[in-house]
């Protein structure tokens, strides 16, 4: 009896790449012993609904899309009940931070082959109040970079386009007075940016300290940036961003934590995995350790990924898709 595979596709994400390889991808799954059911999404929450309602009927669920499609699928996974099925991911979005972190090929057919030849590995999932995310929860000046950066610029200069957008936004910041608790380490004051992440890459950039990032240890990597009060402090922030080096830079606070609470004097808009998550004055972010099983090329990927990722990040990025009608 053949195993059953649910193939969730965002038809608007990376439209050329995934459509060109669709037949070969289905053949690869079929040769691996799966009966494939293809489900194209029609809206931004479609993958979550399909996964939560029907995911348990399958032996494997594969989603093809950008980071937003993956986040939506994982949200459905976390709400599907006691039976959990492994996930496969074919990245066809723009930045694909999650794929970068786990060395998933950005060529759709190669990613499909990695899935059928892979092993199930368990990785952490984040939870912001009642919403799940795969790799980042954030607020402040840089949170809209991934979808505000012009597509034409991405295609010409790759992830350097994100750096230009970050520097441009730095001069137009809003600060938030807040108190944040990171497993008992407390900070207070005015901050222009906050990031809680479980990834080696955010918007195409390596996360500072990525050599020490582990995607299955139950810990987030946290980075908050203070609000500058003068030109010198502004230059300190700019230097840290451009050089990706904040060692000894008092404008940055970074740590590892499994549970973070943030209380602010005013409403703060938050994003998760590049999508708007809502406005909050009081929230808790917790790490769901090893909550999701995902097929990766081999189980050693979580142990030996850092060296390979650094090699990958040093190469020039190739942006291959067009803008979507809803976030990837």
């Amino acid at each position: 009896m053949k195993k059953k595979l649910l193939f969730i596709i965002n038809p608007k994400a990376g439209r050329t790449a995934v459509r060109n390889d669709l037949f070969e991808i289905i053949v690869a799954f079929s040769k691996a012993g799966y009966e494939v059911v293809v489900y194209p999404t029609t809206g931004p929450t479609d993958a979550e609904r399909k996964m939560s309602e029907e995911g348990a009927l399958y032996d494997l669920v594969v989603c093809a899309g950008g980071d937003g499609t993956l986040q939506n699928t994982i949200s459905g996974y976390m709400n599907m009940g006691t039976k959990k099925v492994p996930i496969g991911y074919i990245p066809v979005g723009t930045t694909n931070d999650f794929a970068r972190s786990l060395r998933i090929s950005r060529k759709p057919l190669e990613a499909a082959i990695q899935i059928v030849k892979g092993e199930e590995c368990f990785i952490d999932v984040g939870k912001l109040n009642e919403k799940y995310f795969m790799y980042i929860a954030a607020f402040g000046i840089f949170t809209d970079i991934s979808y505000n950066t012009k597509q034409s610029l991405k295609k010409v200069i790759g992830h350097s386009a994100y750096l230009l957008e970050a520097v441009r936004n730095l001069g137009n910041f809003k600060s938030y007075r807040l108190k944040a608790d990171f497993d008992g380490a407390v900070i207070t004051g005015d901050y222009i940016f906050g990031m809680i992440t479980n990834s080696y890459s955010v918007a195409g950039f390596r996360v500072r300290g990525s050599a020490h990032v582990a995607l299955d240890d139950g810990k987030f990597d946290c980075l908050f940036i203070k609000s500058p009060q003068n030109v010198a402090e502004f230059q300190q922030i700019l230097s840290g961003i451009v050089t990706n080096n904040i060692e000894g830079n008092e404008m940055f606070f970074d740590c590892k934590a499994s549970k973070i609470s943030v209380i602010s004097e005013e409403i703060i808009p938050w994003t998760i995995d590049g999508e708007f998550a809502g406005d909050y004055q009081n929230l808790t972010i917790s790490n769901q350790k090893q909550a999701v099983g995902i097929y990766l090329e081999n189980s050693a990927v979580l142990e030996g990924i850092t060296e390979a990722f650094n090699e990958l990040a040093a190469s020039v990025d190739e942006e291959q898709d067009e803008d979507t009608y809803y976030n990837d």
Side-chain angles (χ1 to χ4, degrees), residues 97-272:
D97 286 311
F98 182 80
R100 293 171 187 272
S101 290
L102 293 180
R103 291 176 60 199
I104 299 172
S105 175
R106 287 189 288 165
K107 297 180 180 179
L109 182 56
E110 287 185 6
I113 293 171
Q114 285 179 325
I115 292 168
V116 298
K117 290 185 176 181
E119 301 176 9
E120 187 177 11
C121 299
F122 291 88
I123 62 174
D124 301 342
V125 172
K127 188 177 184 182
L128 187 157
N129 285 1
E130 299 304 316
K131 296 182 179 181
Y132 294 99
F133 63 93
M134 283 307 301
Y135 71 94
I136 186 172
F139 73 88
I141 55 173
F142 307 128
T143 53
D144 61 353
I145 286 175
S146 64
Y147 47 84
N148 276 353
T149 305
K150 290 183 178 179
Q151 191 70 19
S152 58
L153 193 59
K154 296 177 191 176
K155 290 182 177 180
V156 173
I157 63 175
H159 76 257
S160 296
Y162 294 108
L163 178 59
L164 293 177
E165 186 71 12
V167 172
R168 185 184 70 82
N169 283 346
L170 190 57
N172 183 28
F173 63 83
K174 176 178 175 56
S175 65
Y176 301 94
R177 181 168 291 275
L178 58 82
K179 174 182 178 182
D181 185 312
F182 305 84
D183 288 346
V186 178
I187 62 171
T188 59
D190 296 325
Y191 288 82
I192 61 173
F193 176 73
M195 176 178 76
I196 293 93
T197 185
N198 193 45
S199 175
Y200 294 93
S201 169
V202 174
F205 299 110
R206 280 175 288 179
V207 172
R208 180 188 176 273
S210 60
H212 306 291
V213 172
L215 306 183
D216 62 347
D217 65 348
K219 296 283 187 180
F220 294 116
D221 286 87
C222 309
L223 176 68
F224 277 50
I225 303 177
K226 293 180 180 179
S227 177
Q229 302 302 308
N230 51 55
V231 173
E233 291 183 347
F234 182 91
Q235 291 176 336
Q236 280 183 268
I237 295 173
L238 183 61
S239 174
I241 294 170
V242 172
T243 64
N244 197 30
N245 179 11
I246 63 172
E247 192 70 35
N249 192 326
E250 63 182 15
M251 299 306 294
F252 295 82
F253 170 84
D254 67 323
C255 71
K256 286 183 174 288
S258 59
K259 185 176 181 180
I260 301 95
S261 64
V262 179
I263 302 173
S264 58
E265 293 187 359
E266 58 187 311
I267 292 174
I268 300 178
W270 283 77
T271 63
I272 52 176

Side-chain angles (χ1 to χ4, degrees), residues 267-286:
I267 292 174
I268 300 178
W270 283 77
T271 63
I272 52 176
D273 294 345
E275 309 282 341
F276 178 65
D279 297 319
Y280 300 90
Q281 278 187 275
N282 189 340
L283 61 78
T284 299
I285 297 173
S286 58

